[in-house]
Amino acid sequence: MTGAQPSRLIERFEAAFGASPDGIWQAPGRVNLIGEHTDYNEGFVLPFAIDKTAKTVVRRRNDTMVRLLSTFGNQGVIEADTRTLAPGAASDWTKYPLGVVWALQQQGIDVPGFDLLLDSDVPLGAGLSSSHAIECAVITALNDLTEAGLTAEEMVLLTQRAENDYVGAPTGIMDQSASLRGSQGHAVFLDCRDQSVRLVPFQAREAGLVLLVIDTKVEHSHADGGYASRRAACERGAEIMGASSLRDVGTADLDRAAELLDATTFRRVRHVVTENERVLQTVETLNAGGPAHIGALLDASHVSMRDDFEISCPELDLAVDTARASGAIGARMTGGGFGGSAIALTPVGDEQQVRDAVTRAFADAGFVAPGIFTVTPAAGAVRLS
């Protein structure tokens, strides 16, 4: 993954496809500040778009052929036909753009053939939503090129359909919402029940802080059984509680839940219920006092994901514990779990100390060296040219 300049991408596109593109569109990855596995439970989340993006260089064709090329790997041009797309037919990165085409078709939108070059600097498998960045860049491009007139909310739901029904990953709407509706300097407070969004200032630098992402290099996959089993447990818990979703279960209901549910399902439910509360408290705290006061909420979120939802791993726990012990004011794993990244909200003066301590701790444990970098809230999907 390269993050190449647009001019270089245009040159690469013209060399591969023998014509100039119609434009370049980009969409960012995301970091979830807090609110994990609440989105598909119609709950609250607080992600933000990050300054790492997927770029798509696209040219509309006059036939039904789709030709796809990426700047990573050695696959060369991969061809497909818009008339024969079917869920499960693609197994590599092409399932994301093709899934978007399929979802648009299911919506009754006539999608022509096109040539596409993909470039991205969103780390793969790091829990920063590299796949959704691709989907959001593609749907933004196709919305423009087909003049479909889709709203951001409609594109969110269509990329979710692509992810759920074409790719086969039972994800919610958080990642797409952050990528399509993000704003520089703000987190996206999203109500996943009605898709309403409120932008919340999150300006760490102004508060003397940086948000470090610690990529453990343990790759995860939303399409595997761990994610699906957590979602199934949430749905089972809501049904037994007589609720349409866990959004309608509050902390006051947890004593009753403990009586009705088996121990594992109860822990899953308790995480979602308490995580919703933590999101609301984080929004309130950011508005009232700024990012310097949310550390304890980040810490509590990680404990809940580690112990109740059981989606952490040794590398994530080591990253979080070491960052906290070395100066971070709050830290948690972020993303779907079972690998990926942790975030650590850290005073600027302690940044290098935290970086060094985490790197050393991973080496001492015999883990692969982590990738550590800062992120800032960035704008959502946009046409570049």
Side-chain angles (χ1 to χ4, degrees), residues 181-204:
R181 306 177 73 180
S183 175
Q184 188 171 356
H186 293 82
V188 179
F189 176 40
L190 171 66
D191 182 335
C192 295
R193 170 163 282 176
D194 64 10
Q195 271 195 281
S196 62
V197 158
R198 180 149 49 95
L199 297 176
V200 180
F202 181 69
Q203 298 174 323

Side-chain angles (χ1 to χ4, degrees), residues 6-7 9-25 57-61 67 114-117 145 383 385:
S7 59
L9 294 177
I10 291 173
E11 292 174 6
R12 178 78 179 270
F13 183 95
E14 292 173 343
F17 298 116
S20 297
D22 291 324
I24 303 177
W25 292 259
V57 190
V58 185
R59 180 179 74 92
R60 179 174 176 148
R61 297 174 58 90
R67 298 192 297 176
F114 57 90
D115 297 331
L116 180 148
L117 172 66
L145 292 176
R383 181 173 187 163
S385 67

